[in-house]
Amino acid sequence: MVKVNTDGCKSFVGASAYTYFEKKALTAFDTLINGDGEGNDFLGWKNLPDDTPESLISDCEAVRDEWKAIGVNLVIVIGIGGSYLGARCAIEALSHGFIRPSERPQVIFAGNNLSEDYLSEVMDLAAERNTACVVISKSGTTTEPAVAFRLIKKYLEERYGGDDASKRIVAITDERKGALKTLATRQGYRTFVVPDNVGGRYSVLTPVGILPIVLAGFDVRAMLAGAAEVKREVSRRSDDNPAIRYAAMRNLLHSENGKAVEILVTYNPKLTFFAEWWKQLYGESEGKEGKGIFPASVTNTADLHSMGQFIQEGSRIMFETVVSVEKSNREIAIGSDELNLDQLNYLAGQTVGHCNAMALLGTRIAHIDGGVPQMEVSVERLDEFNLGGLFYFFEFACGISAYILGINPFNQPGVEAYKKNMFALLRKPGYEKQTEEILKRL
Amino acid sequence: MVKVNTDGCKSFVGASAYTYFEKKALTAFDTLINGDGEGNDFLGWKNLPDDTPESLISDCEAVRDEWKAIGVNLVIVIGIGGSYLGARCAIEALSHGFIRPSERPQVIFAGNNLSEDYLSEVMDLAAERNTACVVISKSGTTTEPAVAFRLIKKYLEERYGGDDASKRIVAITDERKGALKTLATRQGYRTFVVPDNVGGRYSVLTPVGILPIVLAGFDVRAMLAGAAEVKREVSRRSDDNPAIRYAAMRNLLHSENGKAVEILVTYNPKLTFFAEWWKQLYGESEGKEGKGIFPASVTNTADLHSMGQFIQEGSRIMFETVVSVEKSNREIAIGSDELNLDQLNYLAGQTVGHCNAMALLGTRIAHIDGGVPQMEVSVERLDEFNLGGLFYFFEFACGISAYILGINPFNQPGVEAYKKNMFALLRKPGYEKQTEEILKRL
């Protein structure tokens, strides 16, 4: 269950202005539910919580179990953008921060950058471990994952031999066509499908997210159940629908109050990468045609001693959305100390989680007083079920929000611009004219 | 040597406007050099590269060697804000991403948040390892580090006994007064000094940064040498001083072009935390009196597939500062492939680093075309020497920049606001009146 609290915006917005944006949100909701808006060939994500077949999960578990049987303790997941952020977000949110249980493989990510140092170090680790690889690419020709996979494939083939290497590689790619599909068929890789009607940033509940999350040892059934619960909640046409309320309020704060930046705030370092997933979802969905709310993030209380000063007293250009978790998974009580030099005895017997909750509440009040509107999106605890719910909540609200803004939430035309220039500079065949043009500009 | 390239701003700013801000920057430079501006009792950082005594470094190395002799393989560094970000930034920039050499301890950070899950997991790791602790706090009563230290101190005393525990704890604190100083004297902890005239966010070249960096196995002498070289460079009163150029241009882009957000861009995941250090430095120095440029960051090319769409085509509210590294520390060439299904053979024989450089250049041109001014701050390679240079460069430029904006770069009055509310909510003795008031508002 995902709850949204917008009380921290009340002193900043008028009731009639909110009603106006609520109406816009209800219209956008209808567009999203009816599937008759821009980008409506990319609405496959809406039904994933209900339509994901049990066989998909058991196929993922079969890979996990087979790799376990041959002693795999490192899985390199190759992918970029939406083929990277959801899985990493989930695995970081659910994993122990420092210790990996010996029965689970370490899951690391590659092919999401062109850093030579990074890729070299991935190969160092691969050489020390019993290694397998999941390569995720719809086409198989995106530069970053293709460069990483060419290297890792060759390494696995040399180390384990071609047949054995093919058992250590799973491809998640187009169902029928493309370079990676062709290669997978030829080499006999197991494959999973990137659905045609789900864009990268909405793909965490497809095999793109599910397989890495299963390999890392987490319960995807619970994640899908959490998403399904939230799907029912946010699919109601009602003014107390939390997705409608979040989408209406953020657009109101942007359009009427001139807030240019939304900061996603968390109070648990495990959720730092959740904010990265959210930034892609909102930034890439809304940042078009000169529009959009700039998505930023902080992890508190650490960043109260970093960005906190700016948020409290700097340029008044932002509002905050706090993703809060009501109950910790672990409990630590603060002890009593005879000397009490640190003056903490007044907290003796309290849990650290209680202090965190009071920091959150105190910050909320301080920031409202400082002119920063606050929303809160809360779940009961940090586990697969609630994480699935958060994924679905923010995806659905994003669709509504972009439609309010008059933007197609499901395309990303601007992502090609750097690629074209990079291909020209790298003298890719077919780009001869662009190469000539760009070299003149240097 | 740190170089600044502002050519990517030329199409956005007029020459006379730049001259105007250059003059402001020269005046601000004089204020910083002469030490007669606001906050001038916190200028101790200016001379650290030259004035840091060799004995300080050898004292840090003595701790490192003593702990090594008793087999310490985990050092928990407790601190928040400036007592955390610089050391973590340096250690992440310089460490292997996945493998720790067995002769070096793992350095982790605690006391920078109030997450119960996080602290529990720190304690899990401590129990598995041969553990020591560095606690960093000027006063010894800041809530986050005090909570963590109370817990870790008790654990070490129970596990190793009081005398042995005291040998495993080093305190970095005030020279004379405060709770932690008192405790350290009483328990016989080794201590290092947090200088009175250096604020947290400028403290990476004091013991606050130096001890953890030495313990992690890195060469602080080279870091100080790099900082000293840049100190000489940026202390010249000249219009080609890179710090003056960076400070002038960013203020011009903010004041005249209305750019509200500066994005620090890196192309190596090892520098992701460098951006976090930079955000504190600039956000906390400038975000006051309703002013300041909002600091954000991306790590490319990963985030070209996340925030890239927004930067290319969304709200035109930002400029970018790219921190680039000319040469990789490692080299990987792209191989040839008989099938060439991935169509990468045109890159065969090229290094991954060359592709990264072309991605950087292609993105620079794409973003300029999209309306995003670009600056570039570059160093030759990522090592201690150049990292020291980057630290000094950004610190010095920050002083100039805040003075241009008319802001005291060295205080942080807004950081207290959340603490006061938190204390009231936690019913801290002395806050009875505030408790009563805040409870009425809930």
Side-chain angles (χ1 to χ4, degrees):
Chain A
M1 182 72 165
V2 174
K3 288 185 282 190
V4 169
N5 182 347
T6 59
D7 289 352
C9 302
K10 276 189 182 160
S11 57
F12 299 93
V13 303
S16 66
Y18 181 75
T19 305
Y20 178 72
F21 276 86
E22 187 183 80
K23 264 188 206 157
K24 282 176 176 272
L26 284 164
T27 306
F29 170 89
D30 293 338
T31 305
L32 189 62
I33 288 287
N34 299 335
D36 55 8
E38 273 196 287
N40 61 13
D41 39 352
F42 285 96
L43 289 172
W45 58 271
K46 280 201 301 177
N47 294 319
L48 292 170
D50 298 324
D51 291 356
T52 299
E54 168 61 25
S55 61
L56 169 61
I57 302 170
S58 52
D59 286 350
C60 291
E61 289 170 339
V63 176
R64 177 194 69 194
D65 296 342
E66 278 175 48
W67 282 356
K68 189 175 174 181
I70 58 170
V72 167
N73 57 17
L74 178 70
V75 176
I76 304 171
V77 176
I78 297 173
I80 193 164
S83 300
Y84 152 62
L85 286 158
R88 182 164 168 194
C89 158
I91 292 169
E92 292 202 359
L94 298 168
S95 295
H96 194 289
F98 302 102
I99 299 168
R100 176 174 56 84
S102 59
E103 72 275 13
R104 294 180 180 180
Q106 182 177 2
V107 175
I108 67 169
F109 297 88
N112 57 66
N113 62 63
L114 290 168
S115 165
E116 204 155 19
D117 292 346
Y118 184 87
L119 196 52
S120 301
E121 292 173 355
V122 167
M123 300 313 293
D124 291 341
L125 187 65
E128 284 195 358
R129 297 292 193 80
N130 188 329
T131 300
C133 167
V134 174
V135 54
I136 308 173
S137 178
K138 184 94 176 148
S139 66
T141 57
T142 302
T143 307
E144 289 88 343
V147 164
F149 184 56
R150 188 178 267 216
L151 189 75
I152 290 166
K153 170 179 174 287
K154 181 156 176 275
Y155 170 78
L156 293 175
E157 287 171 352
E158 286 173 2
R159 174 168 168 191
Y160 296 108
D163 287 352
D164 211 23
S166 291
K167 291 183 189 138
R168 292 168 178 269
I169 295 171
V170 170
I172 308 181
T173 187
D174 192 273
E175 191 171 4
R176 283 169 296 270
K177 61 181 193 301
L180 183 55
K181 177 64 184 175
T182 306
L183 182 70
T185 305
R186 194 178 165 115
Q187 304 292 109
Y189 302 156
R190 258 164 309 192
T191 58
F192 290 85
V193 174
V194 180
D196 285 330
N197 60 355
V198 181
R201 60 191 175 273
Y202 294 84
S203 71
V204 62
L205 299 177
T206 73
V208 169
I210 289 178
L211 179 61
I213 295 166
V214 165
L215 293 173
F218 299 107
D219 181 356
V220 165
R221 290 181 186 83
M223 192 173 285
L224 287 163
E229 189 194 66
V230 169
K231 176 176 186 287
R232 285 190 294 278
E233 175 72 11
V234 298
S235 299
R236 292 178 305 109
R237 193 183 197 286
S238 160
D239 57 13
D240 71 349
N241 174 333
I244 288 176
R245 290 169 57 225
Y246 173 63
M249 188 60 85
R250 68 193 294 279
N251 276 281
L252 168 53
L253 291 168
H254 181 54
S255 301
E256 302 290 313
N257 295 52
K259 298 299 182 186
V261 176
E262 178 176 4
I263 306 177
L264 199 83
V265 183
T266 58
Y267 280 79
N268 183 334
K270 286 181 193 291
L271 287 171
T272 298
F273 225 79
F274 182 83
E276 296 302 314
W277 173 83
W278 171 87
K279 280 185 203 169
Q280 188 202 17
L281 181 61
Y282 281 77
E284 198 164 278
S285 295
E286 295 189 332
K288 293 162 204 169
E289 305 174 22
K291 297 184 185 176
I293 306 170
F294 186 91
S297 63
V298 294
T299 306
N300 288 348
T301 61
D303 288 341
L304 289 170
H305 293 248
S306 157
M307 289 294 294
Q309 168 65 40
F310 195 110
I311 298 168
Q312 189 68 48
E313 297 187 343
S315 304
R316 304 293 74 193
I317 60 170
M318 77 289 275
F319 64 96
E320 292 187 306
T321 298
V322 180
V323 175
S324 73
V325 179
E326 287 160 22
K327 294 176 192 161
S328 303
N329 288 323
R330 305 278 294 270
E331 190 176 303
I332 292 189
I334 296 166
S336 187
D337 184 89
E338 208 180 327
L339 290 173
N340 194 32
L341 288 168
D342 57 13
Q343 302 166 28
L344 287 185
N345 274 356
Y346 79 101
L347 294 174
Q350 302 279 14
T351 63
V352 174
H354 175 67
C355 299
N356 207 21
M358 294 305 104
L360 185 155
L361 192 54
T363 303
R364 174 189 164 87
I365 294 168
H367 287 185
I368 290 171
D369 289 347
V372 181
Q374 302 282 307
M375 282 194 274
E376 192 169 348
V377 176
S378 58
V379 293
E380 196 185 353
R381 58 173 68 246
L382 185 52
D383 57 14
E384 288 94 334
F385 184 85
N386 285 291
L387 195 58
L390 284 171
F391 285 143
Y392 200 88
F393 170 79
F394 278 111
E395 287 174 358
F396 196 85
C398 187
I400 298 174
S401 191
Y403 280 144
I404 295 175
L405 201 60
I407 292 284
N408 176 351
F410 306 114
N411 66 357
Q412 51 283 331
V415 178
E416 299 308 308
Y418 97 89
K419 292 188 198 173
K420 282 180 199 159
N421 290 343
M422 177 176 73
F423 292 148
L425 290 163
L426 289 170
R427 300 172 182 273
K428 184 171 179 168
Y431 285 76
E432 291 76 7
K433 194 161 173 299
Q434 289 91 330
T435 300
E436 200 183 315
E437 282 166 10
I438 207 165
L439 290 178
K440 281 186 206 151
R441 295 182 62 182
L442 298 182
Chain B
M1 181 71 165
V2 174
K3 287 184 283 189
V4 170
N5 182 347
T6 59
D7 289 351
C9 302
K10 276 190 181 158
S11 57
F12 299 93
V13 304
S16 66
Y18 181 76
T19 305
Y20 179 71
F21 276 85
E22 187 183 79
K23 265 188 205 155
K24 281 175 176 273
L26 284 163
T27 305
F29 169 88
D30 292 339
T31 305
L32 189 62
I33 287 286
N34 299 334
D36 54 8
E38 273 196 286
N40 61 14
D41 38 353
F42 285 96
L43 288 172
W45 58 271
K46 279 201 301 177
N47 294 320
L48 293 170
D50 298 323
D51 291 356
T52 300
E54 168 61 25
S55 62
L56 169 60
I57 302 170
S58 52
D59 286 350
C60 291
E61 289 169 339
V63 176
R64 177 194 69 193
D65 295 342
E66 277 176 48
W67 282 356
K68 188 175 174 181
I70 58 170
V72 167
N73 58 17
L74 178 71
V75 176
I76 304 171
V77 176
I78 297 174
I80 194 165
S83 300
Y84 152 62
L85 286 159
R88 181 163 168 194
C89 158
I91 292 169
E92 293 202 359
L94 298 168
S95 294
H96 194 289
F98 302 102
I99 299 168
R100 176 174 56 85
S102 59
E103 73 276 13
R104 295 180 179 179
Q106 183 177 1
V107 175
I108 66 169
F109 297 87
N112 57 66
N113 62 62
L114 290 167
S115 165
E116 203 155 20
D117 291 347
Y118 184 87
L119 196 52
S120 301
E121 293 174 354
V122 167
M123 300 313 294
D124 290 341
L125 187 66
E128 284 195 358
R129 297 291 194 80
N130 188 330
T131 300
C133 168
V134 175
V135 55
I136 307 172
S137 179
K138 184 95 177 146
S139 66
T141 57
T142 302
T143 307
E144 289 88 343
V147 164
F149 185 56
R150 189 178 267 217
L151 189 75
I152 290 166
K153 170 178 175 286
K154 182 156 176 274
Y155 170 78
L156 293 174
E157 286 170 351
E158 286 173 0
R159 175 169 167 189
Y160 297 107
D163 287 351
D164 211 22
S166 291
K167 290 181 190 138
R168 291 168 179 268
I169 295 171
V170 171
I172 307 180
T173 187
D174 191 272
E175 191 169 5
R176 284 169 296 270
K177 61 183 193 301
L180 183 55
K181 177 65 184 173
T182 305
L183 182 71
T185 304
R186 195 180 164 113
Q187 304 291 109
Y189 302 155
R190 258 163 309 191
T191 57
F192 291 84
V193 174
V194 180
D196 285 329
N197 60 355
V198 181
R201 60 189 174 276
Y202 295 84
S203 71
V204 61
L205 299 177
T206 72
V208 169
I210 289 178
L211 179 61
I213 295 167
V214 165
L215 293 174
F218 299 107
D219 180 357
V220 164
R221 289 181 186 83
M223 193 174 285
L224 287 163
E229 190 195 66
V230 169
K231 176 175 186 285
R232 286 190 294 277
E233 176 71 13
V234 298
S235 299
R236 293 179 303 111
R237 193 185 197 283
S238 160
D239 57 12
D240 71 349
N241 174 332
I244 288 176
R245 290 169 57 225
Y246 172 63
M249 188 60 84
R250 66 193 294 281
N251 275 282
L252 168 54
L253 292 168
H254 181 55
S255 301
E256 302 289 312
N257 295 53
K259 299 298 182 186
V261 175
E262 178 175 5
I263 306 177
L264 199 83
V265 184
T266 58
Y267 280 80
N268 183 334
K270 286 181 194 291
L271 288 171
T272 298
F273 225 79
F274 183 83
E276 296 302 314
W277 172 83
W278 171 87
K279 280 185 205 171
Q280 187 202 18
L281 181 61
Y282 280 78
E284 199 163 280
S285 295
E286 295 189 331
K288 293 160 204 169
E289 305 175 21
K291 297 183 185 176
I293 305 170
F294 186 90
S297 64
V298 294
T299 306
N300 288 347
T301 61
D303 289 340
L304 290 170
H305 293 248
S306 158
M307 288 295 293
Q309 168 65 39
F310 195 111
I311 298 168
Q312 189 68 49
E313 296 186 344
S315 305
R316 304 294 73 193
I317 60 171
M318 76 289 276
F319 64 95
E320 292 188 307
T321 298
V322 180
V323 175
S324 73
V325 179
E326 287 161 21
K327 293 176 191 160
S328 304
N329 288 322
R330 305 277 295 269
E331 189 176 305
I332 292 189
I334 296 167
S336 186
D337 184 89
E338 209 180 328
L339 290 173
N340 194 31
L341 288 168
D342 58 13
Q343 301 166 27
L344 286 186
N345 274 356
Y346 79 101
L347 294 174
Q350 302 279 15
T351 63
V352 174
H354 175 68
C355 299
N356 207 21
M358 294 305 104
L360 185 156
L361 192 53
T363 303
R364 172 190 166 87
I365 294 169
H367 287 185
I368 290 170
D369 289 346
V372 181
Q374 302 283 306
M375 280 194 275
E376 192 169 348
V377 176
S378 58
V379 293
E380 196 185 353
R381 58 173 68 247
L382 186 51
D383 57 15
E384 287 94 334
F385 184 85
N386 286 290
L387 196 58
L390 284 171
F391 285 142
Y392 200 88
F393 169 79
F394 279 110
E395 287 174 358
F396 196 85
C398 186
I400 298 174
S401 191
Y403 279 143
I404 295 176
L405 201 60
I407 292 285
N408 176 350
F410 306 114
N411 67 356
Q412 51 284 330
V415 178
E416 299 307 308
Y418 97 90
K419 292 188 197 171
K420 283 181 198 159
N421 289 343
M422 178 175 72
F423 292 148
L425 289 163
L426 288 169
R427 300 171 182 275
K428 184 170 179 168
Y431 285 77
E432 290 76 8
K433 193 160 176 297
Q434 290 92 328
T435 300
E436 200 184 314
E437 282 166 10
I438 207 165
L439 290 178
K440 282 186 204 151
R441 295 183 61 182
L442 298 182

